[in-house]
């Protein structure tokens, strides 16, 4: 494959999207710490059964409630209960930061998608050719990533089969899924586009899917960083930023 350099628009959007995703990861974790319970369906709260809980703050499996207070004329239906401990709650700055970083991600990602589509970047650098897409080649490429010393990186988009498939999944599936499920958790957006709630089986289901999609993206980022270090950290960083690779 020809040793091409990354184009300036690829470098710029990569830089902004990376910073946006890091900001979303930090703020999203803080939001999740405030309520580390995930549900399936339209509604969920501390007094309803959770799909599962995450042990990431003192709000995890606390059982710190007084006896539930029902409306007697509703036959014992639970209305509320008072907490018996000081909860962790940083939702204010967490949600504001998350919302701001999300728009940087959405707008930059949209510019990346449009430019990549019409410039032929996806077809030329990411889409596997018919002769290079096979289970045998994918297995060989997968095994090569576990060598003691993988091949050194080039100066540009010399992507292997596994990289191409992974990038396509991230760009065309995981990022859109994270964005759409994020929109579904916004009452203002779902008021105008109620089909989103039906698409993801409820607002709380969207939150759960959002968590798993974001976790998959975070795993991708960590593996990506490991491979950057193993194949030449300085060379890779210079290639994707505005430096001059040797």
């Amino acid at each position: 494959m020809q040793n091409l350099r990354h184009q300036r628009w690829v470098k710029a959007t990569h830089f902004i999207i990376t910073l946006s995703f890091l900001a979303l990861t930090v703020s999203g974790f803080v939001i999740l710490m405030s309520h580390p319970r995930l549900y399936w369906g339209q509604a969920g709260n501390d007094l309803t059964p959770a799909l599962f809980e995450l042990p990431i703050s003192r709000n995890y499996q606390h059982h710190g409630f007084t006896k539930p207070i029902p409306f007697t004329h509703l036959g014992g239906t639970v209305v509320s209960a008072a907490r018996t401990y000081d909860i962790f709650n940083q939702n204010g700055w967490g949600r504001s930061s998350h919302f701001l970083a999300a728009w940087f991600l959405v707008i930059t990602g949209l510019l990346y998608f449009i430019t990549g589509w019409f410039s032929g970047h996806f077809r030329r650098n990411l889409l596997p050719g018919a002769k290079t897409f096979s289970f045998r080649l994918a297995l060989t490429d997968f095994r090569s990533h576990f060598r003691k010393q993988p091949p050194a990186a080039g100066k540009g988009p010399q992507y292997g089969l596994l990289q191409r498939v992974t990038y396509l999944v991230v760009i065309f599936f995981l990022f859109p899924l994270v964005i759409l499920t994020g929109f579904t958790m916004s009452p203002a957006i779902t008021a105008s586009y109620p089909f989103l709630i039906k698409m993801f089986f409820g607002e709380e289901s969207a939150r759960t899917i959002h968590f798993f999609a974001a976790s998959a993206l975070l795993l991708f980022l960590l593996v990506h960083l490991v491979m950057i270090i193993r194949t030449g950290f300085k060379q890779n960083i210079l290639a994707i930023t505005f430096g001059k690779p040797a």
Side-chain angles (χ1 to χ4, degrees), residues 27-182:
S27 57
F29 186 73
V30 170
I31 294 170
L32 195 59
M33 286 176 68
S34 299
H35 191 83
R37 294 162 60 89
L38 294 168
Y39 310 87
W40 192 261
Q42 178 57 30
N45 55 63
D46 282 323
L47 300 178
T48 60
L51 191 63
F52 62 91
E53 299 188 47
L54 301 169
I56 57 175
S57 75
R58 61 174 176 265
N59 298 356
Y60 165 70
Q61 287 188 348
H62 46 77
H63 303 297
F65 283 95
T66 58
K67 186 177 180 180
I69 305 170
F71 280 134
T72 55
H73 64 281
L74 292 180
T77 301
V78 174
V79 174
S80 66
R83 288 186 171 91
T84 59
Y85 72 107
D86 183 24
I87 66 169
F88 173 87
N89 188 0
Q90 298 289 334
N91 258 331
W93 74 265
R95 289 182 180 273
S96 298
S97 303
H98 204 71
F99 186 80
L100 180 61
W103 281 116
F104 274 96
L105 178 69
V106 170
I107 294 173
T108 308
L110 188 60
L111 291 174
Y112 172 82
F113 179 83
I114 293 173
T115 309
W117 184 272
F118 287 103
S119 68
H121 171 70
F122 297 142
R123 172 182 52 79
R124 185 173 58 253
N125 296 321
L126 296 183
L127 189 66
K131 296 181 180 180
T132 61
F133 192 77
S134 69
F135 178 76
R136 181 178 61 82
L137 290 175
L139 185 60
T140 301
D141 193 22
F142 179 78
R143 288 173 176 171
S144 70
H145 284 72
F146 293 92
R147 294 174 183 170
K148 290 184 178 180
Q149 184 57 48
K155 298 180 182 179
Q158 295 180 310
Y159 302 133
L161 178 59
L162 188 61
Q163 281 180 293
R164 290 171 180 255
V165 173
T166 303
Y167 291 158
L168 288 174
V169 170
V170 167
I171 294 169
F172 291 97
F173 178 68
L174 287 179
F175 267 121
L177 185 62
V178 161
I179 292 169
L180 289 175
T181 51

Side-chain angles (χ1 to χ4, degrees), residues 181-227:
T181 51
F183 283 161
T184 307
M185 290 184 282
S186 170
I189 293 178
T190 53
S192 300
Y193 306 98
F195 70 89
L196 288 171
I197 294 180
K198 293 183 180 180
M199 181 187 298
F200 294 110
F201 313 104
E203 184 178 330
E204 290 300 326
S205 299
R207 181 171 177 261
T208 300
I209 297 171
H210 188 80
F211 166 77
F212 282 111
S215 298
L217 284 173
L218 183 58
L219 177 62
F220 162 77
L221 177 62
L222 293 175
V223 174
H224 193 54
L225 287 174
V226 170
M227 294 309 300

